[in-house]
């Protein structure tokens, strides 16, 4: 009986605490924190501040903290003037002093989750972030994890670290997972209007997380658990990874059959139901699609499951840079040239169009393979100032008739907008187009992947 009473009192307390936090989150008086001010964290902090909320950004980088405090944006999707205005109004401040987590009523963790050399999850950034804020958490705080990761991370890895100083999730504070879905360079869907999934450790944690994100985002979608939220993000990225791999396989068989796969996809996508277009390409890039699926494969092994689709997709996609180089060798041979000694101009080294991010870009592997084959490699990318492949600097060249004409082959790896493709077509001797960018240009000198 006493146990039931205590339990009721306890739950009531918890509910009241939750309510008051939720009220503060909704009325805008709560102070919000963001740990990790990168491609995900800075846009999130800006969105919070635009809603009038006071935001404290915490990062290990002195440079990033100084940039934010000076209103200098290092993320292309964030305009410096917007950031400067929010900093000027005192709505955003950045620090490397994690003891200031004590000022926050809610904190979102947005730190990297890469793979290590063995392609296993590297959770050290998340662990370090959790350890740095844990001593300063106040009662009733909400912590959300946004970094993409395997199902179970929030409760198995982050929760024990946050609880190390005595507070417990549930009675003392709230913890939820809410995957970041930002798509850098996407002008239609950005942080604010992309629906946000949230799954808490307890229903009250979910409710607090909904109140937090509804304060500054258009739409929030609660799910039943942290693991469901973690798996949702992985499903989204695995779906893309597997479908891209399928297109890469179909590209290779179509090429043998003399069929233009790009035309096939365009024709198939006229079907108004049951088909979604994906495109082949030079290989996967970025922080998500090449990496996240392996977070699940790794965790699945603990459950005696081998995620064969993911492994196969990974294998197919990882082979694409090699396939690009093979196709280039064939194209050069048809011009009576060998790859060794040829000058190759790589156009676009960012991992996708219209952004400056080169993480995991297929251009890195392609350039490395070309350098290994003794090709003379240069690149052009209006968004990327310097570029290295396999520890070797690759020289940047301007895009003009002279640099294009000096190359034995131009390889379009990333199809940035605002590039004079007409000039590329006129001035180049041979173009290997891995993105179907030159679809409007005829002639033997364009070789489509
Ligand atoms: N970039 C994307 O398009 C994207 C999209 C969806 C999800 N994600 C996921 O979001 C997470 C963050 O990715 P990102 O692209 O923003 O990474 P990023 O490298 O751009 O930014 C991470 C930031 O965290 C900081 N940091 C590292 N360790 C820290 C620590 N211990 N404490 C505080 N700050 C720390 C870094 O200095 C950096 O500023 C990853 O899990 C990623 O998979 C990224």
């Amino acid at each position: 009986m006493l146990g039931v009473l205590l339990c009721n009192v306890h739950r009531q307390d918890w509910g009241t605490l939750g309510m008051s936090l939720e009220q503060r989150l909704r009325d805008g008086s709560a102070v919000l924190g963001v740990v990790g001010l990168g491609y995900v964290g800075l846009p999130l902090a800006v969105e919070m501040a635009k809603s009038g909320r006071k935001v404290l950004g915490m990062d290990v980088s002195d440079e990033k903290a100084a940039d934010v405090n000076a209103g200098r944006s290092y993320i292309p999707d964030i305009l410096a003037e917007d950031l400067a205005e929010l900093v000027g109004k005192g709505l955003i401040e950045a620090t490397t002093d994690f003891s200031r987590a004590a000022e926050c009523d809610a904190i979102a963790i947005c730190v990297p989750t890469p793979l290590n050399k063995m392609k296993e999850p590297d959770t050290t950034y998340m662990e370090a972030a959790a350890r740095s804020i844990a001593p300063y958490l106040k009662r009733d705080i909400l912590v959300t994890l946004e970094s993409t990761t395997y199902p179970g991370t929030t409760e198995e890895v982050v929760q024990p670290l946050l609880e190390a100083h005595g507070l417990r999730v549930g009675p003392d504070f709230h913890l939820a997972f809410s995957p970041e879905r930002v798509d850098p360079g996407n002008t239609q869907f950005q942080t604010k209007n992309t629906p946000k999934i949230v799954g808490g450790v307890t229903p009250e944690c979910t409710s607090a997380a909904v109140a937090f994100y509804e304060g500054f985002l258009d739409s929030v979608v609660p799910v039943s658990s942290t693991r469901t939220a973690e798996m949702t993000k992985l499903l989204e990225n695995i779906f893309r990874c597997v479908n891209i791999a399928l297109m890469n396989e179909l590209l290779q068989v179509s090429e043998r059959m003399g069929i233009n796969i790009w035309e096939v996809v365009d024709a198939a996508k006229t079907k108004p139901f049951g088909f979604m277009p994906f495109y082949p390409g030079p290989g996967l890039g970025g922080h998500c699609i090449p990496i996240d699926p392996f977070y699940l494969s790794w965790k699945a092994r603990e459950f005696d499951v081998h995620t064969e689709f993911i492994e196969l997709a990974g294998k197919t996609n990882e082979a694409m840079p090699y396939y690009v180089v093979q196709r280039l060798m064939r194209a050069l041979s048809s011009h009576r040239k060998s790859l060794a000694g040829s000058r190759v101009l790589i156009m676009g080294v960012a991992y996708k169009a219209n952004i400056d991010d080169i993480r995991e870009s297929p251009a890195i592997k392609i350039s490395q393979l070309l350098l290994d084959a003794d090709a003379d490699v240069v690149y052009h990318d209006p968004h990327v100032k310097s570029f290295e492949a396999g520890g070797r600097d690759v020289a940047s060249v301007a895009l003009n008739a002279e640099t294009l004409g000096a190359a034995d082959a131009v390889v379009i790896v990333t199809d940035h907008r605002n590039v004079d493709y007409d000039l590329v077509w006129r001035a180049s001797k041979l173009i290997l187009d891995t993105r179907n960018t030159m679809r409007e240009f005829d002639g033997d000198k364009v070789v489509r992947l």
Side-chain angles (χ1 to χ4, degrees), residues 35-42 58-61 64 74-75 98 110-114 124-130 132 146-149 179-184 233 237 287-288 292 351 357 359:
V35 176
L37 296 169
Y39 282 93
V40 165
L42 187 62
M58 288 164 271
D59 203 291
V60 285
S61 159
K64 280 190 176 150
Y74 45 84
I75 301 290
F98 287 80
C110 313
V111 296
T113 44
T124 51
Y125 297 89
M126 271 186 304
E127 290 168 36
S132 343
E146 297 216 1
S147 303
T148 308
T149 184
E180 181 48 62
R181 290 166 143 176
V182 72
D183 179 20
K233 171 72 187 180
N237 285 352
H287 202 276
C288 294
D292 304 343
Y351 81 81
D357 192 348
R359 286 179 293 182

Side-chain angles (χ1 to χ4, degrees), residues 144-195:
T144 66
L145 176 65
E146 297 216 1
S147 303
T148 308
T149 184
Y150 58 80
T153 311
T154 308
E155 294 182 33
E156 293 164 18
V157 178
V158 174
Q159 183 174 343
L161 294 171
L162 294 180
E163 290 182 335
H165 297 264
L167 294 185
R168 292 280 166 268
V169 170
D172 304 318
F173 72 103
H174 305 89
L175 176 62
F177 183 76
S178 180
E180 181 48 62
R181 290 166 143 176
V182 72
D183 179 20
N186 189 327
T187 48
Q188 191 186 359
F189 291 105
Q190 296 181 325
T191 303
K192 176 140 175 58
N193 63 350
T194 303

Side-chain angles (χ1 to χ4, degrees), residues 42 60 74 77 116 134 200 214-215 223 230 279 308-309 360 383 390 419 431:
L42 187 62
V60 285
Y74 45 84
D77 287 342
N116 64 21
E214 278 185 348
V223 295
E230 288 159 336
Y279 295 92
E308 290 175 34
F309 263 106
E360 310 290 326
H383 302 275
V419 169
I431 303 163

Side-chain angles (χ1 to χ4, degrees), residues 362-388:
I364 300 172
K365 189 75 191 183
I366 293 170
S367 304
Q368 202 179 326
L369 294 172
L370 296 176
L371 288 165
D372 288 348
D374 284 334
D376 171 19
V377 185
V378 293
Y379 83 97
H380 172 79
D381 190 313
H383 302 275
V384 180
K385 288 196 179 69
S386 64
F387 177 63
E388 64 170 51

